[in-house]
């Protein structure tokens, strides 16, 4: 996983200030045109030429939100957010 500093940007959904981008499951640096997911809420953005983030168009979002890697990454982010909130539990059976 390679992490780089980027211009600080506030998530348009949750308000978190993000100033780094890390690759997920690979060691490549982020480049313009790549996807970015807010680490706190999973909001999807496109990385611009100056490494600012823009909201995807409706067509882009409709396509990107169905990608298996995006769905998996968002599930992980949601699980982590639920753990932070203190109301995350697994159901199980006593052995
Ligand atoms: Zn967010």
């Amino acid at each position: 996983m390679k992490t780089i500093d980027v211009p600080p940007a506030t998530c348009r959904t949750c308000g978190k200030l993000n100033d780094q981008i890390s690759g997920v499951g690979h060691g490549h640096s982020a480049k313009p045109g790549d996807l970015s997911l807010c680490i706190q809420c999973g909001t999807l953005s496109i990385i611009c030429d100056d490494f600012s983030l823009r909201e995807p168009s409706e067509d882009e979002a409709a396509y990107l939100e169905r990608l298996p890697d995006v769905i998996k990454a968002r599930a992980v982010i949601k699980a982590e957010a639920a753990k932070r909130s203190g109301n995350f539990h697994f159901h199980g059976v006593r052995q």
Side-chain angles (χ1 to χ4, degrees), residues 1 5 17 19 21 26 30-32 37 44-45 51 59-60 62 66 69 74 78-79 82 84-86 91-92 95:
M1 179 161 71
D5 293 335
L17 183 66
D19 62 1
I21 292 180
H26 59 77
K31 61 184 184 309
L37 292 170
L44 186 65
S45 298
F51 285 88
D59 286 348
E60 287 172 328
R66 288 198 302 265
D69 286 348
R74 282 182 152 173
K78 280 188 178 172
R84 286 194 302 271
S85 74
H91 277 112
Q95 299 294 317

Side-chain angles (χ1 to χ4, degrees), residues 47-93:
I47 301 170
C48 299
D49 288 344
D50 62 359
F51 285 88
S52 61
L53 302 177
R54 71 167 174 83
E55 185 174 358
S57 69
E58 268 186 44
D59 286 348
E60 287 172 328
Y63 169 74
L64 297 170
E65 288 174 357
R66 288 198 302 265
L67 294 175
D69 286 348
V70 170
I71 292 169
K72 278 188 249 173
R74 282 182 152 173
V76 170
I77 290 168
K78 280 188 178 172
E80 290 298 317
K83 279 194 268 185
R84 286 194 302 271
S85 74
N87 62 3
F88 182 77
H89 304 275
F90 283 118
H91 277 112
V93 177

Side-chain angles (χ1 to χ4, degrees), residues 10-16 18 37-43:
T10 303
C11 175
R12 64 185 180 278
T13 302
C14 73
K16 182 174 186 343
N18 294 310
L37 292 170
C38 173
I39 194 69
Q40 183 158 283
C41 74
T43 290

Side-chain angles (χ1 to χ4, degrees), residues 1-4 21-31 34 47:
M1 179 161 71
K2 186 160 188 173
T3 299
I4 60 171
I21 292 180
S22 301
V24 179
H26 59 77
H28 308 293
S29 284
K31 61 184 184 309
D34 284 353
I47 301 170

